[in-house]
Amino acid sequence: MRALTNHEITVLTERGCTADDWTLIAVADDFNADRLADVNFYGHIEIGSMAGTVDVEEGFQRACSLRHATLKDVKIGDRCFIENVGGYIANTTIGDDCYIANIGIISFNAPTSCGVGNTISVLNEGGDGNVVIYDKLTAQMASLMLTYPEVRQLVKAEIANYPQLQHTTIGRGCRIVGTKEIQNAQIGPYCEIQGATHIANTTLLSSSDAPTLIGPDVIIENSVVAKSATVTTGAKVSESFVGEGVHIGKGFSAEASLFFANAYMDNGESCAAMCGPFACSHHKSTLLIGGLISFYNAGSGTNQSNHAYKMGPIHWGVLERGSKTASGSHILWPAHIGAFSMVMGKLTTHPRLQNLPFSYILATGEKTYIVPGINLKTVGTWRDINKWPKRDGRPLSARRDIVDMQFPNPYIIQFVVAGKELLQSLVEQQGPDADEYRFEGCYIKYKALVDGMKYYDLALRLYTAELPTDQWLDLCGMLSPKKNIDDLISDINEGEVTTTDQITDILAEISHNGRYMYQHTQTPQYAEAYEEWLSLIRRDAEREFEMGDVDEAMLREFLEKVK
């Protein structure tokens, strides 16, 4: 870099440029004053090479230039295009190959961590804070922080060593167009910001092979957005973490919430929610609050209540992986819903049903009925377990979240075993001649109970690995024997594990080794059970066809896929 020459200052002045002190401006050796017009300079300014062109869009290039802008204490990299800054750019470093046009203000006004290190209260909205948001957060680290305070303290100690940031940074290859205000932000390379309203105290991670997109009318405050995420069309995100491959749009409002690996949120709202891999909510009037969910689908008008109007918004619950809530469902926390179950109606009895997976929970008003195991045989379950691996849209470089999608797996099977034993015990305790059996404030009809044991038998025959004898955990997408996690926590407490990178590496090893523990093996018994299961799936599709509004060709096409 070098100082401006007197001739260059004269040319810049003739082209409408001003400076409070021309000597504070440094430029590249090949600086061309003709590439600037109507620019007001304040403080220390560095301008890289403006040779060449930038891509505005496919097939449309413009010469690198700096026009119609006010800059204060700004560093500009090589080959940038900056034009029509209605307000100003201050205390900002801009990387090479950036395109910035038709914006309001980009600034940095106080030392801050740009969202990194914020502690939020997840699940228990009224809590003191249990998850630390930071740049390397994963679904598994968040899950551990919820349960183990020592993990939270380790993360806090590591982040305390992060330097306080002094200026907004815009990485190489970024495109920022039509955006009103960016304040106190760290923006990763190749991030695209199109028409956002307000981004403040936020880190936007991004890379060339996993770019992040921020779309029109978006407001993001005090948050961290991971690589390959999309926040668009009027979404409002506050005190939250938006993970890899996550989509948030169409006016969705998120507060103190976490979203991981391919979660998809439109229209509704969340608060104190932990939304794990493939958690999905498309509809308006849907509130996800105080819930731990993953591989989940929210029907329209889904509602959850975390406030009993007594001690505050402190209640929370769990919808195990693969669960659904039907349109208009309402769950009063606390409650614990088993894997691959569906909730219909208003559930007010706070049941703990984790040991009854694949169930329908039908809250009819006066009574809540459980139909155990029935969801094992539905088209919806078959479609879900086959679609998730195909829908992992995260680039290979943005797959920090561990997502185990195998089906069946020991985590679910442990509940199947417990569920079968539970149903048998209900018969023993309440008699073989009962019309209904009572459990956790709910009712199970005799036929549903008998059929449920058959469905659980089928699930056990579909699982060809050794039945789990030790407890397994679901760390928001990652399956692990509890013993392995206990050992990890012990190592943290004994000082043998001291960094988040070590934890991440250990978790990856646990996941890799764990998958070998439940690898599928082909046996004649399995083949028989698998064909029985597919027959049930096909019959469920045929029943849907018999409703009269499904085209026969569509039915045939689906049945061909059920193999």
Side-chain angles (χ1 to χ4, degrees):
M1 304 296 285
R2 61 172 177 80
L4 290 168
T5 66
N6 290 334
H7 174 70
E8 288 169 337
I9 293 172
T10 299
V11 173
L12 290 172
T13 302
E14 292 173 349
R15 295 180 62 79
C17 297
T18 65
D20 62 345
D21 187 342
W22 291 107
T23 66
L24 298 180
I25 300 175
V27 296
D29 289 340
D30 64 350
F31 177 74
N32 182 353
D34 291 332
R35 294 288 182 101
L36 282 73
D38 188 25
V39 182
N40 303 308
F41 297 108
Y42 296 88
H44 293 271
I45 303 292
E46 291 185 12
I47 303 173
S49 173
M50 306 202 81
T53 61
V54 294
D55 293 325
V56 178
E57 58 182 51
E58 188 174 355
F60 180 23
Q61 295 182 326
R62 295 186 67 180
C64 298
S65 58
L66 177 55
R67 303 158 56 87
H68 314 304
T70 298
L71 309 179
K72 180 182 183 298
D73 297 320
V74 174
K75 295 180 181 180
I76 301 172
D78 296 335
R79 300 175 301 278
C80 289
F81 180 98
I82 301 173
E83 181 180 69
N84 297 334
V85 179
Y88 56 86
I89 301 176
N91 303 316
T92 298
T93 297
I94 301 170
D96 298 339
D97 304 305
C98 287
Y99 180 86
I100 301 173
N102 304 315
I103 65 162
I105 295 172
I106 299 176
S107 67
F108 198 96
N109 56 22
T112 179
S113 61
C114 296
V116 173
N118 287 349
T119 301
I120 65 173
S121 295
V122 180
L123 301 186
N124 178 1
E125 183 188 356
D128 294 329
N130 50 16
V131 174
V132 182
I133 296 173
Y134 68 111
D135 53 335
K136 296 187 287 186
L137 183 63
T138 65
Q140 286 68 55
M141 288 298 297
S143 182
L144 290 175
M145 279 191 271
L146 284 174
T147 306
Y148 304 102
E150 47 267 79
V151 177
R152 194 182 318 135
Q153 293 307 316
L154 184 151
V155 173
K156 286 183 176 180
E158 184 169 297
I159 292 174
N161 294 321
Y162 282 22
Q164 281 286 299
L165 302 172
Q166 303 294 328
H167 55 269
T168 285
T169 298
I170 299 172
R172 179 174 188 161
C174 287
R175 296 175 56 84
I176 304 176
V177 179
T179 294
K180 292 183 179 179
E181 182 179 23
I182 297 174
Q183 183 182 79
N184 302 347
Q186 298 295 295
I187 302 171
Y190 298 93
C191 181
E192 184 166 344
I193 304 175
Q194 294 274 3
T197 297
H198 180 69
I199 299 171
N201 300 318
T202 288
T203 294
L204 304 177
L205 303 170
S206 184
S207 65
S208 60
D209 58 343
T212 292
L213 172 64
I214 309 300
D217 304 319
V218 164
I219 297 174
I220 307 177
E221 297 177 331
N222 305 312
S223 298
V224 174
V225 180
K227 292 180 182 180
S228 73
T230 297
V231 184
T232 189
T233 52
K236 299 176 179 62
V237 177
S238 176
E239 305 280 350
S240 297
F241 181 86
V242 182
E244 301 163 335
V246 170
H247 167 98
I248 299 180
K250 295 184 179 178
F252 189 91
S253 175
E255 181 176 349
S257 296
L258 307 173
F259 306 91
F260 296 104
N262 303 294
Y264 198 103
M265 301 286 152
D266 274 343
N267 293 303
E269 61 179 307
S270 70
C271 179
M274 183 159 174
C275 303
F278 295 100
C280 180
S281 176
H282 285 280
H283 307 288
K284 294 182 179 179
S285 304
T286 293
L287 171 62
L288 307 176
I289 187 167
L292 173 57
I293 59 177
S294 63
F295 302 93
Y296 163 79
N297 199 314
S300 61
T302 286
N303 196 1
Q304 298 158 358
S305 295
N306 68 340
H307 202 311
Y309 299 101
K310 296 177 183 178
M311 296 176 65
I314 61 174
H315 300 291
W316 58 276
V318 179
L319 288 155
E320 294 282 358
R321 60 167 53 204
S323 294
K324 293 181 172 70
T325 46
S327 296
S329 72
H330 185 185
I331 303 175
L332 273 63
W333 298 133
H336 195 153
I337 306 303
F340 288 92
S341 294
M342 181 174 69
V343 179
M344 300 178 66
K346 186 170 184 177
L347 186 61
T348 62
T349 56
H350 313 297
R352 293 167 293 175
L353 305 178
Q354 62 267 34
N355 287 338
L356 292 174
F358 303 104
S359 294
Y360 284 176
I361 297 99
L362 311 174
T364 61
E366 294 182 359
K367 285 185 174 181
T368 295
Y369 284 95
I370 305 171
V371 186
I374 192 171
N375 206 29
L376 178 66
K377 69 169 189 174
T378 64
V379 168
T381 295
W382 185 88
R383 288 184 66 245
D384 284 345
I385 64 177
N386 283 278
K387 76 184 180 185
W388 288 321
K390 300 174 184 176
R391 294 187 179 181
D392 192 345
R394 298 174 297 161
L396 293 178
S397 66
R399 294 196 174 190
R400 292 177 55 83
D401 292 336
I402 299 172
V403 185
D404 292 326
M405 294 178 265
Q406 296 84 350
F407 179 90
N409 58 63
Y411 179 74
I412 292 175
I413 287 297
Q414 69 185 349
F415 295 124
V416 171
V417 171
K420 183 180 177 182
E421 293 174 353
L422 170 62
L423 296 180
Q424 291 170 335
S425 69
L426 290 177
V427 174
E428 293 170 0
Q429 294 167 9
Q430 301 179 30
D433 300 323
D435 292 331
E436 296 179 344
Y437 295 85
R438 186 173 174 84
F439 177 70
E440 288 286 323
C442 306
Y443 296 85
I444 306 173
K445 293 186 177 181
Y446 175 77
K447 184 178 185 308
L449 184 147
V450 173
D451 288 344
M453 287 193 283
K454 294 178 182 177
Y455 295 135
Y456 289 155
D457 275 333
L458 175 58
L460 292 172
R461 286 187 286 132
L462 289 170
Y463 185 75
T464 59
E466 184 177 346
L467 290 176
T469 55
D470 297 325
Q471 183 181 355
W472 279 68
L473 303 177
D474 185 347
L475 299 180
C476 200
M478 172 191 158
L479 306 181
S480 169
K482 183 176 184 297
K483 180 183 182 303
N484 291 357
I485 302 304
D486 290 342
D487 291 343
L488 169 61
I489 299 304
S490 177
D491 289 343
I492 292 172
N493 287 327
E494 292 175 6
E496 295 181 14
V497 173
T498 58
T499 70
T500 59
D501 286 342
Q502 285 178 286
I503 296 176
T504 299
D505 291 342
I506 291 170
L507 290 174
E509 184 178 358
I510 291 173
S511 176
H512 177 75
N513 294 338
R515 291 174 187 176
Y516 285 105
M517 298 174 65
Y518 55 94
Q519 279 189 324
H520 169 70
T521 56
Q522 287 282 358
T523 65
Q525 294 79 9
Y526 168 79
E528 181 181 350
Y530 188 70
E531 184 52 42
E532 180 182 342
W533 181 47
L534 294 188
S535 295
L536 292 172
I537 302 299
R538 295 186 190 104
R539 179 59 191 134
D540 191 50
E542 290 166 352
R543 277 194 292 267
E544 187 170 5
F545 170 75
E546 290 165 3
M547 295 172 66
D549 61 346
V550 177
D551 184 78
E552 186 172 355
M554 182 180 293
L555 172 65
R556 289 197 302 269
E557 181 182 356
F558 176 78
L559 293 178
E560 280 294 316
K561 296 177 182 177
V562 182
K563 296 178 180 178

